[in-house]
C-alpha cells in the first residue's frame, strides 16, 4: 500500500502564484501583440504639421483701376477748381463750340484695351448713347456708382453681378470726345456727387470721404 505524499503548507500557494503570474504575463504580451496588429501608430513630425497646410490670409478688398496695361495714360483730367491751371485746362471738353467741365477721367492708348470693374457690384444699366457711346453703369455700393463710357465691345448684361478686376468691356470711341480716339471715360458718383476717380484707387470702401 502506497503512502500518500503530504505537501508542505507553503507548496500550494507557491504553485498558485506561479500559475497566476504566468497567465498575467501571457495576457499582457497577447494584448500588446493585438494592439500592434489592429491600431496603426502614426508618428507626428514637424514635416507632418507643415505639409499641405496653407496659411490663411485675410485680404480686404480695395478699389482698383479700370485697366491693367501700363501704357494706358490719362488723356483728360477730372475738373477740379482747386487744381492748378494746367490741369484745369486739360479738364475742359470742347463740344459743339462749347467748353464743358470734365466730370470724369479719360484713359486711353493707341490700341483697344480691356476695361475692368473697379470694385464688386451689380450692373444696373447698359445703353448705347449717341453722344457718350456705349455705357455701363455699376452700382458698387448703395452710394457709390461708376459709369463706364465710350466703350467698345460690352461683355456683361444688366443685373449681372461683377467682382473687382473682372473684365466688363473694351475701350472704344464716342462723339463727345472724338479727338481722344480709342479710350475709356470713367465717371464716379458718391452720394450723388461726382468725385475724381484718381482719388479713390487702392482704398477700401470705408476709407472714402
Amino acid at each position: 500500500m502506497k503512502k500518500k505524499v503530504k505537501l508542505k503548507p507553503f507548496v500550494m500557494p507557491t504553485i498558485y502564484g506561479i500559475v497566476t503570474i504566468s497567465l498575467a504575463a501571457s495576457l499582457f504580451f497577447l494584448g500588446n501583440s493585438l494592439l500592434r496588429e489592429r491600431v496603426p501608430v502614426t508618428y507626428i513630425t514637424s514635416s507632418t504639421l507643415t505639409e499641405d497646410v496653407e496659411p490663411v490670409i485675410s485680404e480686404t478688398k480695395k478699389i482698383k483701376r479700370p485697366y491693367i496695361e501700363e501704357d494706358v495714360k490719362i488723356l483728360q483730367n477730372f475738373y477740379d477748381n482747386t487744381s492748378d491751371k494746367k490741369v484745369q485746362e486739360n479738364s475742359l471738353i470742347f463740344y459743339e463750340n462749347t467748353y464743358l467741365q470734365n466730370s470724369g477721367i479719360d484713359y486711353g492708348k493707341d490700341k483697344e484695351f480691356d476695361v475692368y470693374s473697379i470694385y464688386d457690384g451689380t450692373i444696373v444699366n447698359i445703353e448705347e448713347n449717341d453722344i457718350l457711346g456705349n455705357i455701363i453703369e455699376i452700382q458698387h455700393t448703395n452710394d457709390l456708382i461708376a459709369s463706364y463710357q465710350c466703350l467698345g465691345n460690352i461683355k456683361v448684361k444688366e443685373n449681372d453681378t461683377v467682382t473687382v478686376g473682372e473684365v466688363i468691356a473694351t475701350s472704344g470711341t464716342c462723339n463727345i470726345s472724338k479727338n481722344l480716339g480709342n479710350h475709356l471715360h470713367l465717371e464716379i458718383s458718391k452720394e450723388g456727387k461726382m468725385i475724381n476717380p484718381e482719388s479713390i484707387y487702392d482704398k477700401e470702401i470705408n476709407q472714402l470721404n
Side-chain angles (χ1 to χ4, degrees):
M1 187 175 182
K2 294 181 179 180
K3 290 184 180 181
K4 290 183 180 182
V5 178
K6 189 175 182 180
L7 297 176
K8 294 184 178 181
F10 62 84
V11 174
M12 290 305 294
T14 302
I15 294 173
Y16 289 140
I18 293 172
V19 171
T20 301
I21 293 171
S22 299
L23 286 173
S26 299
L27 290 173
F28 175 78
F29 289 113
L30 178 61
N32 281 349
S33 176
L34 291 173
L35 285 174
R36 283 195 297 269
E37 290 178 4
R38 295 182 183 181
V39 182
V41 178
T42 302
Y43 295 96
I44 299 177
T45 63
S46 58
S47 61
T48 306
L49 292 173
T50 57
E51 218 171 64
D52 300 328
V53 176
E54 296 181 0
V56 178
I57 301 175
S58 177
E59 182 178 351
T60 305
K61 288 186 178 180
K62 294 184 178 180
I63 299 169
K64 299 296 183 183
R65 290 183 174 273
Y67 59 88
I68 61 172
E69 288 86 347
E70 293 183 358
D71 54 346
V72 173
K73 306 296 182 184
I74 294 177
L75 303 180
Q76 206 149 30
N77 297 97
F78 174 83
Y79 184 85
D80 186 344
N81 55 16
T82 63
S83 300
D84 61 47
K85 186 176 180 180
K86 185 176 181 180
V87 173
Q88 286 187 3
E89 288 176 355
N90 192 45
S91 61
L92 295 174
I93 301 170
F94 187 70
Y95 180 69
E96 293 188 345
N97 298 318
T98 304
Y99 283 99
L100 306 171
Q101 296 175 352
N102 194 5
S103 54
I105 288 190
D106 296 276
Y107 300 100
K109 60 179 287 188
D110 293 337
K111 296 181 181 179
E112 182 182 271
F113 57 91
D114 285 334
V115 176
Y116 297 81
S117 175
I118 63 171
Y119 199 73
D120 298 351
T122 302
I123 310 292
V124 293
N125 182 47
I126 294 178
E127 64 175 288
E128 184 178 348
N129 186 282
D130 291 338
I131 298 174
L132 303 175
N134 291 330
I135 301 172
I136 296 175
E137 290 183 358
I138 301 180
Q139 184 163 3
H140 293 293
T141 67
N142 290 334
D143 58 3
L144 188 73
I145 297 176
S147 180
Y148 305 74
Q149 303 173 11
C150 305
L151 300 173
N153 182 28
I154 292 177
K155 301 184 179 183
V156 291
K157 306 184 299 297
E158 282 191 23
N159 300 317
D160 282 355
T161 56
V162 294
T163 57
V164 58
E166 181 176 341
V167 177
I168 59 172
T170 58
S171 57
T173 59
C174 55
N175 288 324
I176 195 171
S177 51
K178 280 185 176 180
N179 60 308
L180 298 181
N182 173 70
H183 71 289
L184 159 71
H185 177 80
L186 177 64
E187 294 183 357
I188 297 176
S189 65
K190 186 176 186 298
E191 298 177 346
K193 180 183 178 181
M194 305 306 295
I195 61 175
N196 186 351
E198 288 289 316
S199 69
I200 68 172
Y201 299 139
D202 295 321
K203 291 183 179 180
E204 299 171 17
I205 287 293
N206 57 10
Q207 293 177 324
L208 303 184
N209 297 326

